[in-house]
Structures are given as C-alpha cells and as structure tokens.
Amino acid sequence: MSAYCGKYHDELIANAAYIGTPGKGILAADESTGTIGKRLSSINVENVEENRRALRELLFCTPGALQYISGVILFEETLYQKTASGKPFVEVLKEGGALPGIKVDLGTIELAGTNGETTTQGHDDLGKRCKKYYDAGARFAKWRAVLKIGPNEPSQLSIDANANGLARYAIICQENGLVPIVEPEILSDGSHDIAKCADITERVLAACYKALNDQHVLLEGTLLKPNMVTPGADSAKVKPEVIAEHTVRALQRTVPPAVPAIVFLSGGQSEEEATCNLNAMNKLNGKKPWSLTFSFGRALQQSTLKAWAGKTENIENARAAFLARCKANSEATLGTYKGDAAGGAGVSESLHVKDYKY
Amino acid sequence: MSAYCGQYHGFGFRGFEIVSDVLALEPQKSFNWIDMLDTCGDCLTASELIAQVSFETIHRNELIANATYIGTPGKGILAADESTGTIGKRLASINVENVEENRRALRELLFLTPGALQYLSGVILFEETLYQKTADGKPFVDVLKEGGVLPGIKVDKGTVGLAGTNGETTTQGHDDLGKRCKKYYEAGARFAKWRAVLNIGPNEPSQLSIDANANGLARYAIICQENGLVPIVEPEILVDGSHDIEKCAYVTERVLAACYKALNDHHVLLEGTLLKPNMVTPGSESKKVAPEVVAEYTVRALQRTVPAAVPAIVFLSGGQSEEEATLNLNAMNKLKGKKPWSLSFSFGRALQQSTLKAWQGKAENVEKARTAFLGRCKANSEATLGVYKGDAAGGEGVSESLHVKDYKY
C-alpha cells in the first residue's frame, strides 16, 4: 500500500479539496481556554464559559460571513456548544457550508538538551479521540508543531521530532476520517533575514514531507499550514511581493502537487499585513499547483474583539468588522484584494507576541 | 598573473565586492577562478573571499535556463551514452564489429539525420563520443549545439554490489567527480546523467539500497551544479518481476520521496535539475495494462513526490518497445490533472531500436535508418504534446519488447 486507502479515502480527498475552494479559507477559533482568556482579558471580559460561547456565536452567526469560510477550527469545548437559542455550533457551521475542525494536540513540551526547543504531545489514544470528534461532526483536525530560528536552531532533533510527530498525528487522523492540517510553525522571533527564514522553511518542509511519506499519509487528503517566509520580527520589514516570492519558491521546492491546499498561519502579522501578503502570493505568476489560502486566528479576530469589548450593544459593529476581514481574505485568495478593509480599528496593529504560546 | 588578478590586483576585499557587483549584472560572465587562486600573494585575500562565492552566483542562472530548455514542449533527450561494452551488444545484434569507427559512424548516423535535432533538446553522450567528430571533421558537440541541442555526459562509473543485500547495488563515480565535470563543461557538456538502480522483490528495495542510492544521487547532483552541469537524477526501479502496478507505484513513491529529501539535505537547486524516473508499470512478468493506466499511476506517483520547482521529468524507457514508450508518454500528456513539470523523454533503446535494425552497419542503409530514427523522434515529440496518433507504429521492430532481464548498461 503506498498511501492510506481505507474507508475514508474518498471523503478525505473531497473534504481537503473543499477547504481549498478559491474564495474561501479557515477561521482558526481553536484558542485553548488559557489562550482565549488572554484575548478576553485584553478587552476586560471575564474568562467564563458563557463569554467564550458568546464570542464564538458572535463570529459564527455573522450574517454573510460563512460564505467566505470553508472550515472553522474549534477547541474541544466549542465542538459541543450551542447558540443562545440552542442550535449546536456544528450545525450552524455545516448549514453555512463550513466544515467543523478540531484542535487535537495537547500543547508543546521541551526537548531535553536543546536551547528551549519543543516537540508537541497528544498522540496517546489520539485515534479514539479522533473517532469521537468525527462522531460529533468534525471533519478535519489541526496539530501545531513549533520550531524557532536561532544560531543553532532549529536543531536536527527538533526538525526530526516535530516532523515525525506531525506525520504520526496525520495518519491517525486519516484512519479516523479527519483531514489532518499539518502545521510546522517556524516562529518569526529573531533578527534573521528573509533568506534565512526561507532556508529553514525549506529544510523543515522537506523533513515533513519525507516523514509523511514514511508514514503512508495520503497527501491528497491533507492540508499544510505553514508560516509565510518573512524576515525575523526584529528585522526590517519587506514588501508583500518579496514575501510572496520567497514563500511561493519555498513551497515550490518542497510541497508535492498532490497537496490540494496551503492554508497560511498569520503568526504575529497584523490583519492587514496578513491579507496583503496572501493577496500578493495569489497575484504572483509561476507554478502553484495547490490553492493558497488562509487559516487565520488573530488576523481574523483582532478588530472584531476590539469592537465587541464584551458588550451586547457592540455586536453589530463587531460583526461588521469580522465580515470585512473575511471578505478581504476571500479576495486575497483570488488575488483581487484592493486594501479597502484597511480602515477598521486595529487592522494594522502588529499581533506579534514574543515566543508565542497558545 | 591571471587576467582577473591583473584587473583587480591589490584590491583585496574590495575586489570581492567588485566581482559580486559584476556577477549581479552579468550572471553569465565567467571568471577564471582556478587561475585566480594561484595568483600573487597580494591578491590571496580577494581570491579566498571570491572562492567562497557560492556556485549559485556563478552558475545558477545558467543551470536554471538549461534545465528549463531541456523541458521545452515538443522536445526531449536522446540517450546515446551506451558504454563501450553496452554499445558492443547493440552492434553485435546487427553483426557490426565493436570498433571506434563503427561507434562513431552510428552516432553520426543519428546526429546528422536531417530534421531530427529539432525534436531534441539534449543528447547524453559517453565520454568517447564527447570528443569525436563527423567524417568531415566537425566535432559532434558543435553539430549538436548548432542544432539547438545541449550535449550531456554520463558521469557514473557503473553499479557495485551492496554487501549483505540480495544482489542490490549502489552506483560509483564520486571520486574526483568535480574535476571530471569541469573538464566536460569545458568540452561543451551542459548536463550530466547518473543512473542509480533499484529492484522490486520480496524484501527489495531495502532501506539500505534506497538510502545509499538516494544519497549517492544527491552528492553527484550538487557536484555537477558546482561545475555548471545540470544533473539528471535517475533512480531507475527495474521492471523485472511479477508484481502488480500498485506495488510499483508504492516503491516508486518511496524511492522518489527519499531522493527529494536527500537533494534537499545536500542543498541542490531543484530548478536546475531534471528527473529521469521509470514509468509506473506492472512487472515484466505480469499482464500489461493500457497506457491510460500507466499514465494515471505514474502521474499520481510524481504528484505525491516531485516538487513543482523541478522543471521537467524525462522518462526512461526501460524494457518497453519503441511504440509502448511513446504511447505511455502520450497518455501522460493527455491526462488531466496537476502537472507542474513538463513530461518528456530520455530514451535510448526506445529511440534507436528500429534505426539499428534498418542500418545493419551498411552505408547503403543509412538513409533508411535515418528515416526510422526521424520517425521515432517525431513520434515522441508529439507524445510530449499529447497529440501522437500512432502513425509511426509501422516501422520495423517498433513494437518489439526491449526488455532484458536484470539489464546492465
């Protein structure tokens, strides 16, 4: 057997291809309880289940937003939550044409003997958990591996451990009907230049695809969620066209055409930066045998959160902000974004947090 | 003192900057690096610094341009690099003596076929042929270049057994490979070829075989690029066996994935390489399948393993007959789906079989032989465009299987 060909073969391929539909992308709303707590506290909202539920309802029930969204990544708690009127969120999403997804990793832990490098845990009974999530309506999963650039980083150990961890997670997902998003995030922290980021990204992605091949993962039923190739956070910024060129070239050198879509993470980029960079990639001429779209968390929610501030009377404003970002990113996947959504409050605010932990 | 040293003599580090600026503007400009390293003591600092300029700065654009050119739609490669021993077997099959003049005459027959070179972007040569000339005294490399064909050179030194395996092999030829490549580049070669061989069996290919061959290919590839030659990466999985097409697909995907990991490890510039894989087919002892099936399995295997940065894939024909190879290539180019590399040919036997039969070593048959050769070149050119209609199948021997068990060049 060359690649997974069990009972979910056709469904995995169809769902992965659907997520990459031009004009659509992923809303990453899978912040863990701790992480969403930080977001809520930044707008002076208490971190209780009702507020977490209310925030997600604000997003998912924004009229007209779901047409731009092919998938939403959820945290486990949210998978089982409902709207105020009692409708399960997974149904809201499905009716809106958005596939529910689920974060399945259990966070990072340090690799002994390294300079603060990590691997990601969550493999134990992962198959059982995936099956449970599939039964609850999830159709794709996400697992975040984290690497960093430094004088001696990423180390070979970090690359190998994270690549193999991702591949093992990926095949277990497929065995249980979930399309795995493969996310090897290389943090933007540092003062390196864009060429260094490109070099590291190519090394990491090559290791990932070798590991995926070793584990017999069906590439047509996966998605890739990489960082864009950019200068380090402490270095001078470059234009979107430069980011687009380096990013697409890195992908051309490492990501097999069988992968249907690449859904970028936004990292610490502001909402507008992330959209402009994605737009530039889709305008670039050259070989791009996978769709290039978004899987944004902060870069889709920042101005929405600011507008909401936890108050019911602000919901309409907050939803307008969210809809605008969804539409902007949808246009960016088609290379037609004109920058008109840049007017929102906070859209150009950097979202970089050093050594970011979810 | 070299010309370079004369110009920037005594400039030291500033000389390095000047060279970098010049190269940025004129990437094709060549500097006599070797001479420069032997220059006077005043310039050693500049020499050492400049010697560190990566091969990318010197040869990068040329490698990319040549690799892309070889993949031009409508063109492909003639593999005429049979070693002396192997060409001897071919000549023996038509009762021709294996002497240098006959080997030269055969290649002249091929390269001077009127109208053939337009269908070729490259010809792989054996070392002897690189330095041979037409009967009129014109160097073959000039004939090829004037015909718009890049000369290539086989640089491996054959296979050797891997101890502890069941007859598996690795390929040798790395020693002083850089020096040899440089020499070949100066003789006019612009690409190289290195054949790794794997086989399918109950326990084959072993992990050792896959790793050794993948790393051997990657090491060869980077050395070529450092010396201006586009490396053809050829991990041939022999068709021998009774396995089905699924098994071949599985092994091909494993082997290609290992190759591209190794190429990445060795910092090879993929945009300046070519891939020469086997097509994905059932084993030679199994039932044949339709060209559309071969095309589907082959293209899928490539989609799963070959990055889009690779400009072209030039298939080997293995033991396929001339017509089979052409029909399979044609089917691949008709197939719908993602194919971000051109799909073309690098055929040896599958371009020359009927030509050899027609020639029989006799001067009076040259015209007939050339007609056969032109017919196959045109057919394969059409196959790269997916427009081949099968009209060249009438030639003698075109459907004859060329499979030789456990084939050694």
Side-chain angles (χ1 to χ4, degrees), chain B residues 70 77-82 122-131 141 144 150-157 177 180-195 220 224 227-234:
Chain B
I70 286 174
I77 294 175
L78 162 65
D81 61 317
E82 299 89 352
V123 176
I124 320 179
L125 306 168
F126 183 60
E127 186 172 13
E128 177 188 77
T129 322
L130 186 64
Y131 299 101
V141 295
L144 295 177
L150 291 174
I153 177 75
K154 185 224 304 278
V155 300
D156 71 74
K157 294 188 175 169
L177 179 58
R180 295 173 53 222
C181 285
K182 185 179 183 308
K183 201 185 72 166
Y184 295 141
Y185 183 94
E186 284 162 9
R190 288 296 176 271
F191 70 98
K193 163 269 181 88
W194 173 290
R195 179 174 176 257
Y220 136 82
C224 282
N227 292 282
L229 301 181
V230 170
I232 295 183
V233 174
E234 180 179 358

Side-chain angles (χ1 to χ4, degrees), chain A residues 1-3 199 202-203 206-207 210 213 216 218-220 249 252-260 287 289-290, chain B residues 60 207 249-250 253-254 257-258 261 264 267 269-271 300 302-311 338 340-341:
Chain A
M1 179 188 81
S2 66
D199 185 57
E202 289 170 25
R203 264 184 81 200
K210 177 58 165 64
N213 181 276
H216 312 296
L218 175 69
L219 292 188
E220 295 87 337
R249 184 165 59 217
Q252 287 170 338
R253 289 174 171 177
T254 54
V255 186
V259 175
K287 297 192 278 189
W290 354 253
Chain B
R60 185 180 192 276
Q207 196 60 51
Y250 167 58
E253 288 169 27
R254 259 185 86 199
K261 177 60 165 64
N264 180 278
H267 313 295
L269 176 70
L270 292 188
E271 294 87 339
R300 185 165 58 217
L302 300 169
Q303 286 170 337
R304 288 174 171 178
T305 54
V306 186
V310 175
K338 297 192 278 188
W341 354 253

Side-chain angles (χ1 to χ4, degrees), chain A residues 48-332:
Chain A
V48 291
E49 191 184 337
E50 174 48 30
N51 287 340
R52 298 193 290 271
R53 194 207 62 74
L55 168 59
R56 275 60 181 264
E57 175 163 349
L58 187 159
L59 299 170
F60 305 164
C61 297
T62 296
L66 292 188
Q67 67 180 303
Y68 302 120
I69 304 290
S70 49
V72 178
I73 321 180
L74 306 168
F75 183 60
E76 186 172 16
E77 176 188 78
T78 322
L79 186 63
Y80 299 101
Q81 284 180 335
K82 305 172 158 86
T83 65
S85 44
K87 185 167 195 174
F89 281 153
V90 296
E91 275 180 38
V92 172
L93 295 179
K94 282 182 168 171
E95 281 168 25
L99 291 175
I102 177 75
K103 186 226 302 279
V104 300
D105 71 76
L106 297 176
T108 58
I109 49 168
E110 291 212 354
L111 287 165
T114 68
N115 181 21
E117 292 180 292
T118 65
T119 186
T120 298
Q121 58 180 10
H123 292 102
D124 301 346
D125 282 339
L126 178 58
K128 289 185 180 163
R129 294 172 54 223
C130 285
K131 185 181 184 315
K132 201 184 75 169
Y133 296 140
Y134 183 95
D135 291 342
R139 288 297 176 270
F140 70 97
K142 163 268 181 91
W143 173 290
R144 179 174 177 256
V146 185
L147 301 101
K148 62 173 178 172
I149 297 177
N152 302 303
E153 289 81 19
S155 62
Q156 196 60 51
L157 172 61
S158 167
I159 294 175
D160 295 342
N162 282 293
N164 284 311
L166 278 164
R168 188 77 196 109
Y169 137 82
I171 190 65
I172 292 172
C173 281
Q174 293 193 328
E175 288 177 306
N176 292 282
L178 301 182
V179 170
I181 295 182
V182 173
E183 180 178 358
E185 172 169 9
I186 301 161
L187 298 175
S188 65
D189 301 40
S191 52
H192 52 272
D193 61 16
I194 194 170
K196 175 83 183 193
C197 179
D199 185 57
I200 300 295
T201 302
E202 289 170 25
R203 264 184 81 200
V204 170
L205 291 179
C208 287
Y209 283 97
K210 177 58 165 64
L212 289 167
N213 181 276
D214 289 343
Q215 299 264 4
H216 312 296
V217 176
L218 175 69
L219 292 188
E220 295 87 337
T222 64
L223 299 162
L224 178 69
K225 179 165 171 171
N227 49 283
M228 297 185 192
V229 176
T230 68
D234 299 335
S235 300
K237 288 196 186 298
V238 300
K239 297 207 299 221
E241 291 69 32
V242 177
I243 288 176
E245 186 197 325
H246 282 77
T247 305
V248 172
R249 184 165 59 217
L251 301 168
Q252 287 170 338
R253 289 174 171 177
T254 54
V255 186
V259 175
I262 298 177
V263 298
F264 293 95
L265 60 92
S266 45
Q269 297 180 38
S270 72
E271 289 174 325
E272 187 66 2
E273 259 183 305
T275 304
C276 287
N277 288 336
L278 180 62
N279 190 55
M281 285 184 225
N282 281 293
K283 289 179 75 169
L284 198 68
N285 285 323
K287 297 192 278 189
K288 295 180 287 179
W290 354 253
S291 33
L292 299 176
T293 182
F294 56 93
S295 176
F296 292 167
R298 286 170 280 174
L300 266 171
Q301 300 180 57
Q302 178 72 358
S303 40
T304 306
L305 271 167
K306 276 183 117 87
W308 180 43
K311 301 186 165 79
T312 318
E313 59 268 31
N314 292 340
I315 288 181
E316 211 180 307
N317 271 348
R319 282 181 164 163
F322 181 60
L323 181 64
R325 288 328 302 174
C326 288
K327 184 164 184 288
N329 285 304
S330 165
E331 289 169 2

Side-chain angles (χ1 to χ4, degrees), chain B residues 92-407:
Chain B
S93 77
I94 53 168
N95 297 312
V96 172
E97 198 188 356
N98 187 12
V99 290
E100 193 186 335
E101 174 48 30
N102 287 341
R103 298 193 290 271
R104 194 207 61 75
L106 169 59
R107 274 63 180 263
E108 175 162 347
L109 187 161
L110 299 170
F111 304 165
L112 266 55
T113 298
L117 294 189
Q118 67 181 305
Y119 301 120
L120 301 178
S121 46
V123 176
I124 320 179
L125 306 168
F126 183 60
E127 186 172 13
E128 177 188 77
T129 322
L130 186 64
Y131 299 101
Q132 284 180 333
K133 306 173 156 86
T134 66
D136 299 338
K138 184 167 193 173
F140 281 153
V141 295
D142 289 351
V143 172
L144 295 177
K145 282 182 169 173
E146 282 169 26
V149 179
L150 291 174
I153 177 75
K154 185 224 304 278
V155 300
D156 71 74
K157 294 188 175 169
T159 57
V160 289
L162 285 167
T165 68
N166 181 22
E168 292 180 294
T169 65
T170 187
T171 298
Q172 58 180 11
H174 292 102
D175 301 344
D176 282 339
L177 179 58
K179 289 188 180 160
R180 295 173 53 222
C181 285
K182 185 179 183 308
K183 201 185 72 166
Y184 295 141
Y185 183 94
E186 284 162 9
R190 288 296 176 271
F191 70 98
K193 163 269 181 88
W194 173 290
R195 179 174 176 257
V197 185
L198 302 100
N199 67 287
I200 296 177
N203 303 303
E204 291 80 19
S206 63
Q207 196 60 51
L208 171 62
S209 168
I210 294 175
D211 295 342
N213 282 293
N215 281 306
L217 278 165
R219 187 74 194 110
Y220 136 82
I222 190 66
I223 291 171
C224 282
Q225 292 194 329
E226 287 178 305
N227 292 282
L229 301 181
V230 170
I232 295 183
V233 174
E234 180 179 358
E236 173 170 10
I237 301 159
L238 296 175
V239 69
D240 301 45
S242 52
H243 52 273
D244 59 17
I245 195 170
E246 265 92 13
K247 176 82 186 203
C248 180
Y250 167 58
V251 173
T252 302
E253 288 169 27
R254 259 185 86 199
V255 170
L256 291 179
C259 287
Y260 283 97
K261 177 60 165 64
L263 290 168
N264 180 278
D265 289 342
H266 287 258
H267 313 295
V268 177
L269 176 70
L270 292 188
E271 294 87 339
T273 64
L274 299 161
L275 178 68
K276 179 166 172 171
N278 49 284
M279 296 185 193
V280 176
T281 68
S284 54
E285 290 156 39
S286 299
K287 224 160 76 82
K288 288 198 187 297
V289 300
E292 291 68 34
V293 179
V294 171
E296 187 197 327
Y297 278 83
T298 305
V299 172
R300 185 165 58 217
L302 300 169
Q303 286 170 337
R304 288 174 171 178
T305 54
V306 186
V310 175
I313 298 177
V314 294
F315 294 95
L316 60 92
S317 45
Q320 297 180 37
S321 71
E322 289 175 326
E323 187 66 359
E324 255 184 304
T326 304
L327 289 173
N328 287 334
L329 179 63
N330 190 55
M332 285 184 224
N333 280 293
K334 289 179 74 167
L335 197 69
K336 294 202 182 309
K338 297 192 278 188
K339 296 179 287 177
W341 354 253
S342 34
L343 299 176
S344 182
F345 57 92
S346 176
F347 293 166
R349 287 170 279 175
L351 266 172
Q352 300 179 57
Q353 179 72 358
S354 42
T355 306
L356 271 166
K357 272 183 121 87
W359 181 43
Q360 296 292 317
K362 302 187 165 85
E364 60 267 31
N365 292 339
V366 168
E367 207 182 309
K368 197 161 77 112
R370 282 180 164 162
T371 303
F373 182 59
L374 182 64
R376 287 331 302 175
C377 287
K378 185 163 182 288
N380 285 303
S381 165
E382 289 170 1
T384 70
L385 302 168
V387 301
Y388 178 57
K389 299 276 182 286
D391 39 89
E396 197 185 316
V398 295
S399 297
E400 189 181 303
S401 166
L402 298 163
H403 179 244
V404 173
K405 212 171 153 80
D406 198 22
Y407 186 68

